[in-house]
Amino acid sequence: MKGIDGLELSPRKNEYLKYLLEKGGMAHTTDISAHFDLDPSTVTKAINEMSSTGLIEHIPYRGVCLTPRGREYATFLVRRHRVLGLMLSHYGLTPREACSEASKLESYVSKDVVDKICKSLGHPSMGICGRITHDKCCCCPDDE
């Protein structure tokens, strides 16, 4: 993920990307607005703003889909959540508490920090919220 530090988007927009990934990479704006309990015009405005990032493609009346770069970014967002949740669980938080707290913090933690936390945890493959996938930049020997 060259040129991406994980801090480019607002927390809400990050959640939209994770939702799209969860839905197989594509969803209608009405599905997104229903899922987040938001007015469709609010979602459409955010989606239009996000279209300029190259992470999504918005086809009016058809839906929103992740671009290849958007899929990579959304995968990182899920990884970041799971790594942070696992880290927090090591400090006595229950799985539910750790997941909740990770959700509050995740949009403010850079990719570089996530990679360092991941390394310190031994590049785990499972977190409290699910499987942790790794990108080659986190786990490649050249980064050490």
Side-chain angles (χ1 to χ4, degrees), residues 81-142:
H81 174 82
R82 292 177 179 174
V83 167
L84 290 173
L86 180 61
M87 178 197 71
L88 292 170
S89 74
H90 286 238
Y91 292 98
L93 279 72
T94 66
R96 173 175 259 157
E97 291 169 330
C99 185
S100 175
E101 292 301 316
S103 292
K104 295 173 190 173
L105 298 170
E106 63 194 28
S107 289
Y108 306 102
V109 180
S110 72
K111 182 178 183 326
D112 183 52
V113 170
V114 171
D115 288 347
K116 288 175 181 175
I117 293 169
C118 185
K119 181 179 177 183
S120 76
L121 294 172
H123 301 293
S125 60
M126 205 55 186
I128 58 162
C129 304
R131 183 160 174 66
I132 298 173
T133 57
H134 299 283
D135 61 27
K136 59 185 173 186
C137 292
C138 172
C139 302
C140 62
D142 296 341

Side-chain angles (χ1 to χ4, degrees), residues 1 4 54-57 65-75:
M1 277 189 2
I4 292 178
L55 299 174
I56 62 166
E57 183 180 359
C65 63
L66 291 170
T67 64
R69 186 170 187 229
R71 183 173 292 279
E72 183 181 17
Y73 192 82
T75 300

